[in-house]
Amino acid sequence: MIDLTIHEALEKLKSGEISATELTRAYLDRIEKYGDELNCYITRTPERALTDAAAADERYANGTARPLDGIPIGMKDLFATRGIRTTAASHILENFVPEYESTVSQKFINSGSVLLGKTNLDEFAMGTFSKTSYFGAPVNPWQMEKRLTAGGSSGGSTSAVAAGLCMGATGTDTGGSIRFPSAITGLVGMKPTYGLCSRWGCVAFASSLDTPGPIARTVDDVALMLSVMAGHDEKDSTSESAGFDAHTPLDAILGDGKKLRVGVIRELNDVKISDDMKKLFNDRINDLKSLGAEIVEVSIPNILDALAAYYIIAPAEASSNLARYDGMRYGLRVEGVDLIDTYKKTRAAGFGTEVQRRMIIGTAVLSSESYEVYFMQAARVRRMIADSFNAAFKQCDLIVCPTSSGTALPLDSDLTPLEYYALDMFTVAMNLAGIPACSVPAGLAQNGLPLGMQVVGPRFDDLRVMQLAKHIEQFAGIDNRPTKIMGK
Ligand code: GLN
């Protein structure tokens, strides 16, 4: 049962061949077996899962089944879940139990899905290997003996989906946190248009960039999950009314004489990537050509400055968002001799090194002497990148580019902070521009590990992004069945 896709499982649930309770038990057993080793869940919710499953079975029996009824999922531990601990992988929220439900997790409840638990991540989603988690890093189920990273920040979600410890999971993508981990675990990860999914109740990192989205094994499954997650929310003023409907399978947009202009970004040609990534990317481009796609070179002149702009804007917003963790209202509190001392002790004990680094950078770039030269300059670069993408989308319908330069690295790789930041090279520009980008498997590298590539589109062209991603998925044809990649 573990190898079923969400679509396949829904068929079997509808026909009565399997029950939601059986399916859920299969996942709970597997979590029991491999959960500790993979460290992909911070909090497991088996009782809740069985209650959800029983309710789903009842709805199947009386003909009132919902879109994801009985599908076991993982929820990134950044989404507040009422009555269930929500930690953001931080010591400062280690024992925080929200009294409210995030909009996205509520939508999953409404869809009938089964909650297996809260998945691991980088502390406050700041990181690329999920190593900044207070609870330790999750492990990539591919070639497990090598203890590779499952990526970050949504690394618990990708580890869990790839290993068959849930059928799909939520992620959030501020600078690549859905796409990078999905790429190096052989999964599909969709960063929707900014504003398509509500951020309400999701622990804030950088509010103008944070984008909730789905992670699953196939493009169709991701589309189905996104249709559940998307939609306007009056509690998030940046959420838009554009819905997303993918209850039906995605249509092909290539072949049948349909003309599609696919852009490649000239400036990225100069970025050093592995030979494997280069080859797979070119192979997939040739595949698209064979179906009649026209490949056009487009220019995003400032794309190489996206990293620098991102690592100013994201920390600036984070330093403001994280000011609320002061030990007064919720979360950890370490008593000091007076109020200021309590703040200092609480925050020093509660936040990890990377989070502290970001808050210091953020505070520095927002200080009066740096504001104009750093923050405003980064804001201008951001505007130029967004404008360049808009101009490029006049020359082409969609853009493709790699998701990362290479395959998953070992968790014990000793990289400097700047080397970690550089790994976001291919992903941050889409967050700055607020445009949709889907990472889809491009194939396997020589070392047997998966690599991904992105399909990028204009704002609210999420559906077409996934349609092209589906073509690439079919050409790449990698086998990401959990029991196959784990060998058990
Ligand atoms: N790796 C990036 C960072 O550390 C992206 C994180 C994210 O998208 N949440 O900020």
Side-chain angles (χ1 to χ4, degrees):
M1 263 190 269
I2 295 300
D3 287 334
L4 294 174
T5 66
I6 294 177
H7 275 84
E8 289 165 350
L10 284 171
E11 283 308 311
K12 292 191 190 294
L13 286 163
K14 277 178 208 151
S15 70
E17 193 183 328
I18 57 171
S19 73
T21 302
E22 276 171 316
L23 186 64
T24 300
R25 283 196 195 283
Y27 278 88
L28 291 174
D29 285 351
R30 199 160 163 94
I31 292 174
E32 196 62 45
K33 266 196 200 132
Y34 304 118
D36 287 345
E37 214 176 331
L38 288 159
N39 196 26
C40 50
Y41 285 100
I42 291 176
T43 304
R44 303 177 192 178
T45 55
E47 295 88 19
R48 159 74 184 269
L50 289 169
T51 311
D52 288 349
D57 281 330
E58 218 175 287
R59 286 188 294 265
Y60 277 112
N62 65 28
T64 55
R66 302 174 183 177
L68 285 179
D69 234 334
I71 298 299
I73 58 147
M75 186 66 58
K76 187 175 183 178
D77 202 17
L78 206 57
F79 292 95
T81 41
R82 189 183 313 126
I84 297 170
R85 173 169 90 128
T86 300
T87 69
S90 181
H91 183 33
I92 213 156
L93 287 177
E94 190 180 355
N95 298 309
F96 173 56
V97 179
E99 288 171 20
Y100 53 92
E101 188 79 32
S102 78
T103 298
V104 161
S105 53
Q106 183 64 50
K107 281 171 178 278
F108 274 99
I109 294 175
N110 300 345
S111 78
S113 65
V114 170
L115 182 71
L116 292 171
K118 305 293 294 288
T119 57
N120 203 350
L121 66 151
D122 276 299
E123 185 179 3
F124 285 100
M126 297 176 191
T128 316
F129 278 23
S130 298
K131 273 164 60 167
T132 71
S133 169
Y134 178 69
F135 303 91
V139 179
N140 192 325
W142 290 76
Q143 302 180 4
M144 251 183 83
E145 66 292 349
K146 293 191 182 151
R147 291 192 63 80
L148 304 171
T149 178
S153 68
S154 312
S157 292
T158 54
S159 167
V161 177
L165 270 55
C166 61
M167 302 197 89
T170 54
T172 59
D173 192 311
T174 303
S177 280
I178 288 176
R179 290 162 287 158
F180 176 70
S182 298
I184 61 171
T185 51
L187 299 176
V188 182
M190 174 74 187
K191 180 206 101 67
T193 301
Y194 179 83
L196 191 64
C197 299
S198 168
R199 289 179 292 110
W200 193 82
C202 180
V203 175
F205 165 8
S207 309
S208 77
L209 302 160
D210 295 345
T211 319
I215 297 167
R217 278 177 37 228
T218 69
V219 178
D220 279 326
D221 285 358
V222 156
L224 180 57
M225 287 174 74
L226 184 58
S227 69
V228 161
M229 296 171 74
H232 177 67
D233 176 10
E234 59 184 25
K235 289 186 271 190
D236 174 1
S237 61
T238 62
S239 80
E240 307 256 355
S241 52
F244 177 84
D245 187 10
H247 291 289
T248 48
L250 298 173
D251 293 330
I253 49 170
L254 283 172
D256 307 335
K258 287 180 199 159
K259 190 148 188 69
L260 192 79
R261 294 164 307 163
V262 176
V264 291
I265 302 172
R266 180 180 313 141
E267 290 76 11
L268 292 182
N269 286 339
D270 304 332
V271 178
K272 212 178 130 29
I273 56 173
S274 66
D275 291 342
D276 286 314
M277 187 70 246
K278 206 175 284 173
K279 179 178 179 305
L280 290 173
F281 185 67
N282 288 332
D283 287 352
R284 299 294 80 85
I285 297 259
N286 287 332
D287 291 335
L288 296 179
K289 273 190 198 157
S290 73
L291 276 188
E294 183 194 339
I295 306 298
V296 283
E297 198 175 74
V298 295
S299 173
I300 311 287
N302 289 98
I303 198 161
L304 300 182
D305 299 325
L307 258 189
Y310 171 84
Y311 276 98
I312 291 170
I313 292 169
E317 293 189 24
S319 70
S320 160
N321 272 328
L322 272 57
R324 73 190 71 173
Y325 305 104
D326 55 8
M328 295 299 128
R329 287 156 292 192
Y330 47 79
L332 181 79
R333 174 177 180 134
V334 183
E335 290 300 337
V337 292
D338 56 18
L339 182 67
I340 300 295
D341 195 41
T342 302
Y343 285 162
K344 284 185 182 164
K345 289 206 163 78
T346 298
R347 290 170 66 84
F351 292 126
T353 319
E354 182 57 30
V355 174
Q356 294 190 10
R357 178 180 295 117
R358 306 267 181 132
M359 289 189 295
I360 291 168
I361 296 173
T363 308
V365 297
L366 289 175
S367 66
S368 54
E369 62 270 35
S370 301
Y371 185 78
E372 188 50 45
V373 278
Y374 287 99
F375 187 74
M376 284 311 293
Q377 191 64 7
R380 284 184 202 105
V381 170
R382 177 181 195 172
R383 167 52 47 207
M384 287 192 272
I385 290 171
D387 289 346
S388 306
F389 270 112
N390 282 337
F393 286 126
K394 295 207 166 73
Q395 293 165 259
C396 65
D397 300 298
L398 298 163
I399 290 176
V400 290
C401 67
T403 308
S404 70
S405 52
T407 53
L409 293 173
L411 274 167
D412 61 10
S413 310
D414 193 19
L415 304 183
T416 65
L418 283 181
E419 285 169 332
Y420 278 116
Y421 298 170
L423 293 170
D424 301 329
M425 182 66 233
F426 294 100
T427 51
V428 290
M430 297 72 175
N431 298 79
L432 293 173
I435 53 182
C438 182
S439 179
V440 60
L444 296 183
Q446 297 286 329
N447 60 9
L449 292 171
L451 281 167
M453 63 187 272
Q454 299 180 79
V455 180
V456 186
R459 277 169 61 75
F460 296 109
D461 225 354
D462 302 62
L463 185 61
R464 238 175 1 157
V465 163
M466 275 181 279
Q467 287 170 329
L468 185 60
K470 188 167 168 175
H471 282 291
I472 296 172
E473 170 182 59
Q474 283 164 352
F475 280 121
I478 76 161
D479 185 352
N480 62 7
R481 286 173 300 171
T483 61
K484 160 82 181 4
I485 65 168
M486 301 244 313
K488 50 194 178 187

